[in-house]
Amino acid sequence: MPLESGEEVTVNVYPATFGESEKPILIWFTEGYASRKPFKQLITQLNDAGYTFWQVDLLESYFMERTPINVRGLTGEGVEAVLKQASQQGRAFVPISTGRMSLVLLRGARLWQLAHTSKQGIGSLQQVITFFPNVFDAPKKAGDAPQLFPIVSATSLPITLVQPTEGTYKWKLPEIIEALEKNQSQVMIVAVPDVRDWYFLRRDPNELEKKSGEAIPSQLELWLKASRVSAQATFKPVEELISQDATTSLKGLVPISSRLAPEFILKDINGKSIDLKDKRGKVILLNFWASWCPPCVKEIPSMNRLAQSFNADQFEIVSVNFKETPATIEAFLKQVQVDFPVLIDLDGRVSARYEIFSFPSSFIIDSKGQLRYSVNAAIEWDDPQIQSIIQRLID
């Protein structure tokens, strides 16, 4: 499918198993997981349920590296072209997205509405569905609150937000809803209990995640019925959108304004309560991580080496695991050596207080309990420069 820019967007079409159907076309804008077995199985299930399925991977079409900032930087032109093509099929259609691609879907839907629709402003678009939407710009440094991109409050659509109750952005959902409703979007919330983001795409799902993923085709039918819009509804996106380029996060340890680290008490995997306030007098590396995060795992050996290079009375590493069960963490620790305490943030409240938006995220806290440095990526912690920074804080 050619674009005005000269680029092409590839649309992979999977027809309904039993021929043409009265059901809408599902248009799924993916983020690199199209070849995963769970996703292929989901497509088959949806075909068997009578849905024709379009799969679109914009980064693959543009031959772009698959990075968060590249996703956030997409203008939505490719989405607009696909929605224009879908509107010419004579059938209702439902655009679907996940995570960061939800941002691009909103941008493209707005462009399509302004250029190709009238009256209602959504033509034969029946509903937009976004799973665990991540429509926030990345702060330059860990600890700063992520900001919504302007497109969210400029959007006017019937939209269903599918939010796992154990998802990273669970605490941000009210902010997203408020922004969408500023311009009369019709918002419906679907809570998926006790599962994490990407629950239906995980290579190693637990039993509950597997069942929740398998239930999507039957649930989809209910979501579409529950979210029908009246003939009188009008959807008009904002015409003049404030442009905002995606922020490039600062690399390495970044100095931050000195402020008291939020206090907390969490239990470690042995059930022992640890109070951050009791660590005063030491310099602390506070690390937020999860076992499913490859960069988190990659930096653990360098953290072990860093801990060994300082006196335990002067420096300590405290790690906070994000929403994983003690059993999951214990199984992980049997495979990977971790020489520092692992605390369990089972409901994600502590991570939310620290405005954690990506993993790993870490902070250096001085002996008075003040936040001094942060980093929102994996680094080699035993680098001489980092050791020098820590030594200065100790001194």
Side-chain angles (χ1 to χ4, degrees), residues 88-326:
Q88 297 170 357
Q89 302 302 304
R91 293 172 57 186
F93 60 93
V94 177
I96 303 173
S97 62
T98 54
R100 295 184 184 92
M101 195 55 67
S102 302
L103 173 70
V104 188
L105 174 52
L106 296 186
R107 288 173 176 160
R110 172 184 166 276
L111 293 174
W112 169 76
Q113 284 177 276
L114 292 174
H116 307 288
T117 66
S118 59
K119 296 181 180 179
Q120 265 194 328
I122 57 171
S124 49
L125 184 152
Q126 183 173 335
Q127 183 74 193
V128 170
I129 297 176
T130 70
F131 288 85
F132 33 89
N134 178 352
V135 286
F136 291 89
D137 192 11
K140 280 186 175 294
K141 53 185 181 294
D144 288 350
Q147 301 296 312
L148 283 169
F149 274 96
I151 183 60
V152 184
S153 56
T155 291
S156 185
L157 290 168
I159 184 167
T160 296
L161 308 180
V162 184
Q163 179 60 52
T165 60
E166 304 307 307
T168 304
Y169 282 90
K170 167 187 174 181
W171 306 107
K172 294 290 187 181
L173 195 57
E175 186 177 346
I176 298 174
I177 297 169
E178 182 182 4
L180 285 170
E181 291 181 340
K182 281 183 179 178
N183 202 40
Q184 285 74 55
S185 283
Q186 176 183 296
V187 184
M188 185 177 82
I189 309 301
V190 175
V192 188
D194 304 320
V195 299
R196 303 164 290 174
D197 295 340
W198 310 100
Y199 65 99
F200 57 90
L201 293 166
R202 291 182 176 273
R203 293 187 175 93
D204 57 343
N206 59 39
E207 203 56 38
L208 184 56
E209 289 169 338
K210 187 177 180 181
K211 288 181 180 179
S212 298
E214 291 172 347
I216 287 176
S218 58
Q219 290 175 335
L220 180 64
E221 191 86 24
L222 298 175
W223 300 344
L224 294 177
K225 287 180 180 178
S227 61
R228 291 189 187 281
V229 298
S230 69
Q232 288 73 40
T234 302
F235 298 97
K236 294 182 179 180
V238 171
E239 293 195 20
E240 295 298 325
L241 179 66
I242 301 171
S243 63
Q244 179 178 329
D245 293 333
T247 299
T248 302
S249 299
L250 297 176
K251 302 298 183 183
L253 275 185
V254 180
I256 57 178
S257 57
S258 181
R259 61 187 186 277
L260 193 64
E263 296 176 354
F264 61 82
I265 300 174
L266 288 174
K267 292 183 178 180
D268 64 15
I269 58 172
N270 298 314
K272 178 184 176 182
S273 292
I274 293 181
D275 189 337
L276 182 66
K277 190 165 54 178
D278 292 341
K279 305 294 182 182
R280 296 277 175 86
K282 297 181 182 181
V283 174
I284 300 296
L285 164 55
L286 179 62
N287 171 254
F288 291 85
W289 70 288
S291 67
W292 43 259
C293 159
C296 299
V297 178
K298 182 180 179 181
E299 71 175 358
I300 288 175
S302 70
M303 294 170 71
N304 289 337
R305 295 192 296 270
L306 179 68
Q308 293 168 5
S309 66
F310 288 100
N311 188 314
D313 293 331
Q314 298 176 317
F315 173 77
E316 184 177 347
I317 298 176
V318 177
S319 72
V320 177
N321 178 274
F322 182 73
K323 289 188 175 183
E324 294 186 284
T325 64

Side-chain angles (χ1 to χ4, degrees), residues 38-57:
F39 189 68
K40 288 183 175 181
Q41 290 174 336
L42 177 58
I43 294 175
T44 300
Q45 286 179 285
L46 291 167
N47 288 157
D48 290 346
Y51 294 100
T52 291
F53 191 98
W54 293 10
Q55 181 264 323
V56 184
D57 187 325

Side-chain angles (χ1 to χ4, degrees), residues 142 250-254 360-363 373-379 381:
L250 297 176
K251 302 298 183 183
L253 275 185
V254 180
S361 287
S362 304
F363 300 87
Y373 294 88
S374 72
V375 57
N376 57 4
I379 61 176
W381 282 99

